[in-house]
């Protein structure tokens, strides 16, 4: 494909189209976590210069979807089980703090209404995987923003690229069902009630459940890869054994 062949109504610059294409490749899983970005191959496929491609890679790196190995080579970000668990641990503390502040506020009904309006976006029919991710993250970001605590919001935003990548790595088949409106409404209702204990318990359960699922994805994938390596090793050993028996057989036949 060539990004230069955009339709007459696509007024985005070549760089903007390149950014959108690369982001979509990562979100869709076409570029997988841990995979190296092959600049020469990509620039040829897209019909753009390597300079334009590199300009497009920078904002995606800034979003945390790509990481630089220090030698100018980019790869798609990946997270291990420990990193995911740590992100959820910190995120849980931040969001409990945010939701508790909202529940204690005399404006809690107003805040709950705004959060419910935001999370209802997840009920829209025909959402793409990327749209679902952004609506889900938007709800949690708003939870922190409504506190008007710059430090709290900044701390949460520092986690957003890692959160986004763990969702992308899980893929649409698994992750889409984890980003549903009904899973977030209990948080809204706990804030509306003004019951800080209910807020704490609801968010602890919400975050713990999803942490287990995302950590489980990584552990299951690692186990699957280990099984595949053992299977490959077994076939290789069997091949060498068969070759050895064949050599012995030929030697015996020759001697007789």
């Amino acid at each position: 494909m060539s990004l230069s062949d955009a339709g007459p109504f696509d007024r985005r610059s070549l760089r903007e189209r390149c950014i959108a294409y690369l982001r979509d490749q990562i979100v869709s899983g076409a570029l997988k976590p841990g995979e190296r970005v092959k600049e020469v191959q990509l620039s040829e496929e897209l019909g753009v210069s390597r300079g334009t491609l590199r300009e497009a890679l920078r904002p995606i790196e800034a979003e945390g979807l790509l990481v630089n190995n220090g030698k100018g080579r980019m790869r798609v970000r990946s997270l291990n089980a420990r990193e995911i668990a740590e992100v959820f641990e910190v995120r849980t503390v931040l969001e409990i703090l945010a939701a508790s502040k909202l529940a204690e506020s005399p404006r809690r009904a107003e805040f709950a209404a705004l959060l419910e309006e935001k999370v209802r976006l997840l009920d829209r029919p025909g959402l793409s995987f990327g749209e679902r991710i952004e609506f889900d993250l938007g709800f949690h970001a708003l939870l922190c923003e409504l506190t008007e605590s710059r430090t709290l919001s900044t701390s949460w935003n520092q986690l957003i690229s890692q959160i986004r990548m763990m969702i992308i790595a899980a893929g649409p088949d698994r992750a889409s069902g984890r980003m549903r409106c009904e899973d977030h409404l209990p948080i809204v209702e706990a804030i509306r009630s003004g019951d800080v204990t209910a807020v704490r318990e609801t968010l602890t359960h919400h975050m713990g459940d999803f942490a287990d699922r995302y950590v489980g994805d990584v552990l299951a994938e690692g186990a699957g890869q280990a099984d595949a390596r053992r299977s490959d090793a077994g076939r290789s050993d069997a091949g060498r054994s068969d070759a050895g028996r064949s050599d012995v057989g030929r030697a015996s036949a020759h001697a007789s």
Side-chain angles (χ1 to χ4, degrees), residues 2-12 17:
S2 174
L3 296 183
S4 302
D5 301 330
F9 300 107
D10 192 341
R11 299 184 181 278
R12 295 174 300 172
R17 294 198 296 272

Side-chain angles (χ1 to χ4, degrees), residues 91-109 111-112 115 139-140 142-149 152 186-204 207:
R91 183 183 175 187
T92 300
V93 172
L94 292 174
E95 295 197 28
I96 286 176
L97 174 59
S100 297
K101 288 170 75 71
L102 299 184
E104 291 172 334
S105 170
R107 298 172 60 195
R108 60 179 171 268
F111 295 146
L115 287 164
F139 169 81
H140 292 278
L142 180 61
L143 183 68
C144 296
E145 290 166 8
L146 289 174
T147 66
E148 297 183 348
S149 168
L152 203 164
I187 301 171
V188 176
E189 292 309 317
I191 292 170
R192 184 177 277 126
S193 74
D195 186 340
V196 174
T197 299
V199 165
R200 186 179 300 109
E201 290 175 352
T202 301
L203 267 165
T204 298
M207 292 297 175

Side-chain angles (χ1 to χ4, degrees), residues 172-235:
D173 291 342
R174 289 183 293 196
S176 292
R178 301 172 188 175
M179 298 180 287
R180 301 181 304 172
C181 174
E182 56 262 41
D183 292 326
H184 295 77
L185 287 177
I187 301 171
V188 176
E189 292 309 317
I191 292 170
R192 184 177 277 126
S193 74
D195 186 340
V196 174
T197 299
V199 165
R200 186 179 300 109
E201 290 175 352
T202 301
L203 267 165
T204 298
H205 173 74
H206 180 89
M207 292 297 175
D209 180 32
F210 288 106
D212 289 344
R213 296 192 203 187
Y214 284 107
V215 168
D217 292 340
V218 175
L219 294 177
E221 184 177 340
Q225 291 173 347
D227 288 343
R229 286 194 294 270
R230 283 194 292 270
S231 177
D232 289 343
R235 286 195 293 270

Side-chain angles (χ1 to χ4, degrees), residues 57-78:
L57 291 173
R58 289 193 194 105
I60 300 176
E61 180 188 8
E63 291 175 24
L65 300 182
L66 296 173
V67 291
N68 195 315
N69 69 355
K71 299 179 181 178
R73 293 179 181 174
M74 297 281 193
R75 64 176 176 80
V76 181
R77 186 171 194 162
S78 61

